[in-house]
Amino acid sequence: MSNIVPAMTFIMAWIFRLEIVKLRKLHGQAKILGTLVAIGGGIIMTFVKGTPLDLPWKNGRTIIFKKSATDVEHTDLMKGAGLIVVGLFCWSCFIILQAHILRSYPSVLSLAALVCILGSIEGIILAFLVERGNTKIWSIFNPDAKLLAVIYGGMMSCSTYLIMGWLIKKRGPVFVTSFNPLSMVLVTIFSSFFLAERLFLGRVLGAVVIIIGLYMVLWGKSKDQLCSNSQNSQDDAAAAAAAAATQNGRQTVVINDDIETLSQSNMIVNE
C-alpha cells in the first residue's frame, strides 16, 4: 500500500503549488499518467502471482517462514489498512512540509539533524510509555545484533533524510516519492537472491510496469526542467536587454546635455 505515496504527494504538491502541471503539455500528462502506471504496477505485484519462475541461482533452496508462538491469529484487515493509509498520508504531509521549509531554510544538513534529533526524542518518550518497567531494553553493554541494528538504523535514517532533503530542494517532492514503488522491485530481487523466495511472473510484470511509470514521471520532470531553464534564460536575456536599453538612454541624455551645454557656451562667447 505504500505505492499510494507518490499519488498523495503529487496531489498535495499540485494543491500547494509546489508542482506545476501543464495539462495541455505532453510532459504534464506524462507525469500524471506515469504516477498512475507506477501505482498500477505496485497493485499488480501485490495481487497478481501467475506462474512461478525457476531461477538458476536458487539451486533448489527453499526457506519456510514459520509463525512464532507470540503471533496473534486474529487479524482485522480494514483497521490495518486504514491505519496504513493514515501513516502514508502523514508521510506525504511531512515531505510537503519539508519542501516548504527548504524554500526559506537553505541548510539541508542542519534540517536533517533536527529531524533525527526530534525523532529520537519522540522515540524515547514512546519507549518509556510502552515499555514501562522493562529496563532491559535500555542496556547498551551487550554488543548483540540489537545494538548493531540500532546503529545501522540510525546511520541509514540520517543519510536518508539528508539525501531526501537535498533532492527535494533540487527537484521537488514529486521526484523523491516517484522512486517509492521501486522499493518493491528491489525487495523482490534481493529476497529471491538471498532468501530463496519464489519469484512469480506477476511480480516480474508488475516490476516492469513500475519501471515504465517511473520513466514516464522522470521524463516529464526532465522536460519541465528544460522548459524552466529556457524560460529563465529568456528572462535573463530580456532583463539584460532592458538594462542595456536603459544604459543607452542615460548615455544619450548625457550626450544631449553636453551638446546643449556646449551650444550655450558658444552663444556666450559670441556675445
Side-chain angles (χ1 to χ4, degrees):
M1 294 188 65
S2 62
N3 294 294
I4 66 175
V5 171
M8 285 185 177
T9 308
F10 183 80
I11 294 173
M12 294 175 67
W14 196 357
I15 293 174
F16 291 106
R17 299 182 183 275
L18 294 173
E19 185 72 20
I20 299 175
V21 181
K22 298 179 181 179
L23 296 177
R24 296 182 179 180
K25 299 292 184 179
L26 183 60
H27 56 268
Q29 299 172 2
K31 290 194 293 184
I32 298 176
L33 185 60
T35 303
L36 297 177
V37 169
I39 295 173
I43 294 174
I44 292 174
M45 289 190 68
T46 306
F47 294 104
V48 179
K49 285 189 175 181
T51 58
L53 301 177
D54 294 328
L55 302 176
W57 56 79
K58 291 181 63 176
N59 294 326
R61 296 183 300 142
T62 56
I63 297 178
I64 300 175
F65 297 97
K66 297 181 179 180
K67 290 184 176 181
S68 61
T70 58
D71 287 341
V72 180
E73 294 295 333
H74 178 69
T75 58
D76 197 335
L77 296 179
M78 295 302 297
K79 290 182 180 179
L83 292 175
I84 290 174
V85 171
V86 171
L88 296 176
F89 176 76
C90 293
W91 177 249
S92 299
C93 291
F94 169 74
I95 294 176
I96 296 297
L97 179 62
Q98 195 172 8
H100 274 290
I101 293 174
L102 288 172
R103 283 187 166 185
S104 58
Y105 189 77
S107 180
V108 179
L109 182 59
S110 59
L111 180 61
L114 289 173
V115 170
C116 294
I117 291 172
L118 292 176
S120 300
I121 294 173
E122 292 176 0
I124 291 172
I125 295 173
L126 183 62
F128 271 117
L129 295 176
V130 175
E131 300 289 344
R132 292 189 300 271
N134 187 8
T135 59
K136 294 181 179 180
I137 63 170
W138 304 103
S139 178
I140 61 174
F141 298 103
N142 297 324
D144 54 0
K146 294 181 180 179
L147 181 60
L148 294 177
V150 170
I151 296 174
Y152 174 77
M155 293 176 60
M156 289 300 297
S157 297
C158 296
S159 303
T160 300
Y161 285 123
L162 178 60
I163 296 173
M164 186 175 66
W166 182 76
L167 285 174
I168 289 176
K169 186 177 180 179
K170 294 293 184 181
R171 297 291 186 177
V174 178
F175 181 84
V176 175
T177 55
S178 298
F179 289 87
N180 200 73
L182 195 62
S183 61
M184 289 187 63
V185 180
L186 297 177
V187 168
T188 302
I189 295 173
F190 291 153
S191 63
S192 176
F193 270 103
F194 300 107
L195 299 178
E197 187 176 354
R198 299 185 68 182
L199 191 61
F200 295 92
L201 182 61
R203 294 185 177 181
V204 176
L205 294 178
V208 173
V209 173
I210 287 175
I211 293 173
I212 293 174
L214 181 61
Y215 176 78
M216 294 173 65
V217 174
L218 296 180
W219 180 82
K221 292 290 292 182
S222 64
K223 292 297 181 181
D224 278 344
Q225 190 69 23
L226 291 176
C227 293
S228 178
N229 292 335
S230 62
Q231 183 66 31
N232 292 333
S233 62
Q234 291 177 2
D235 294 340
D236 294 339
T246 304
Q247 188 67 25
N248 292 330
R250 290 177 180 176
Q251 293 176 357
T252 303
V253 171
V254 171
I255 292 172
N256 292 332
D257 291 339
D258 292 339
I259 294 173
E260 185 177 358
T261 304
L262 182 61
S263 62
Q264 289 178 358
S265 61
N266 291 331
M267 291 174 63
I268 292 172
V269 170
N270 294 329
E271 291 177 358

